[in-house]
Amino acid sequence: MAELHVSKKTIGKLFSEMQNKKFVIPDYQRPYKWNIEKCETLWVDIENFAQTDAQIGADYFLGTIVSYTNEKKDQEIIDGQQRITSILLMLRAFYKKLEDMLEDDDVIGLKNQLAPCIWDINPISQKISDKTKIHIESLVATEEDNETFHKILENGVAAQAANDNYSKNFIYFKNNCDTYASKNPMQWKELCITILQKCIILPIECEAQDTALTIFSTLNDRGMPLADSDIFKAQIYRNCVSDQQKKEFTTQWKDLTQICKQGKLSIDDVFRYYTHILRARNSDKSKEVALRKFYADGKYYRLKDPHIMSEIMSLAEFWRYTNVDVKPDDETKYTISVEARKYLHCLTCYPNEFWKYATSVFFVTNKDSETFDKDFIGILKKSVSYLFVKFIEIPSVNAIKDDIYSTCILLAQNKNWFSKTHLNEESLNQQIGGPTSKALSRALLLLEAYLHDEQRDLISDTFDIEHIFPKKWQNTNYNGWHLEDAEAYLDRLGNKIVFEKKLNIQAGNGYFGIKMQKYNKSKIAIVLALGKYAKDDWVMGDIEEREKRIKETIINFFKQNFPKTEGINI
């Protein structure tokens, strides 16, 4: 393993040792996000420490900083950029306060201790020669306020009306310095010394980036770990030649972030789906590798493709719109019918995400086709049928991997989904509702609801699974039901149905005759039909009959849509 250096350092020592070098916040890091609330917590903690434990010689631990030595011999920060940025803003606020004070020996002494923490110092005169030579540089790719940060450290001035976190936090620290110095003039100087000499950082300095990233992933259990897409963002940003290209990319990445947030998926998810598009285009059905490793291959050559961001954006927009709770708007680029979204909704309840790989390949390959929606519905029906049947037969993630990879290749060639297995109707009839299909019961019940002839609209993703005969009741005997009957029938598929969460809560554990009132308020067609049931009681025979109908409905759908032949053109 590459060498690393760990040693406890005071704030004063950590920063003053950076003469002729700097901390670098690399382009793949996230923008500066600390707000005034976090800065207030830091200030109050240090202020309380200075007045209590510092008086008896204790130290105040500010956390770790993980970095590695880059080719310019600077320390490139992997973890701790938010903290180190805030500390430097606070130190600059202290120095600005000292600049505004009448000079005496104490003021000169404090300035001489603070200055080398912020700037390079002339080794002979021990004075600041150039205030632009600060000890930190932010290269964050999508951060528009980098220059604001650098100027605050150089000049000690921030615009009062500014809306960026650098300016707001610097002003907060400066105001607190002024207030504290006014109320506690002698203690203010002690507070400054306490920060420099009693506040401790544990820097972990590595020789290689991979080592630093590994250590960061191991240590970080409270913040947001560095995402693979943060690395990809930086790599794509580096490929932008002109300032205009960089500006356009910055805007595009912000749009991508917002789209993914609305679609309840991560940017990493989109890049993962895109790997299977690239693999399919190359007829690659080998074992899947880690996301970062895939794109890092060949010095990130895949991220140099000029079309990558347009395809990533299209893919993200597609997956945003497939969320049933996202309504189409004027900016929606791709029209996907309600019928297609119904089957997509069923697939979201599937126990793994492999179906998304094939779906992504189909979308990118066919999105500009005039018959896209019609063809898409056909593919989705085959996807639901094949994946559900396969999982019922073999409830394992690995059972579908190879077929998915092969199907991705066929879809990239404008060929159809295929299966190496055959549908066994008799076996399915026995297995649906049994132990092997338990993990799929939510998806099966949703499919049943969507297959109802009167179901026109999408069902909210927050739906519950309702037990028609309640799981709990007051008496030990109800209309011939005993506890043993309950154990055998309550969790059967025929006693379950999709139901709006709010109505399900209102229905509670009431008996069937009472719950029918809530069923009649449902907008789910199959529940509404249950509310008009011919009798006001629900017993074993009803459960058995409903389970039989569920199986018939679902198996008929599978029979009609199960993929049979490899490589047939759409």
Side-chain angles (χ1 to χ4, degrees), residues 10 87 89 150 168-169 205 226 236 306 311 336 365 435 453 465:
T10 64
I87 291 170
L89 288 171
H150 300 152
K168 289 191 287 188
N169 292 347
E205 299 171 2
L226 195 66
I236 299 171
E311 291 200 317
I336 303 172
T365 305
D453 291 340
I465 298 298

Side-chain angles (χ1 to χ4, degrees), residues 379 381-391 393-394 399-400 402-408 410-411 415-424 558 561-568:
I379 285 293
K381 287 181 176 180
K382 288 179 171 62
S383 302
V384 170
S385 300
Y386 165 70
L387 291 170
F388 284 25
V389 168
K390 191 77 171 181
F391 191 87
E393 293 177 344
I394 311 172
I400 62 167
D402 291 341
D403 276 6
I404 288 287
Y405 296 158
S406 296
T407 296
C408 284
L410 289 171
L411 291 175
K415 295 178 180 179
N416 216 331
W417 186 294
F418 82 100
S419 170
K420 296 177 182 176
T421 59
H422 299 283
L423 187 147
N424 187 324
F558 291 163
N561 298 288
F562 196 77
K564 298 177 179 67
T565 309
E566 178 176 350
I568 295 178

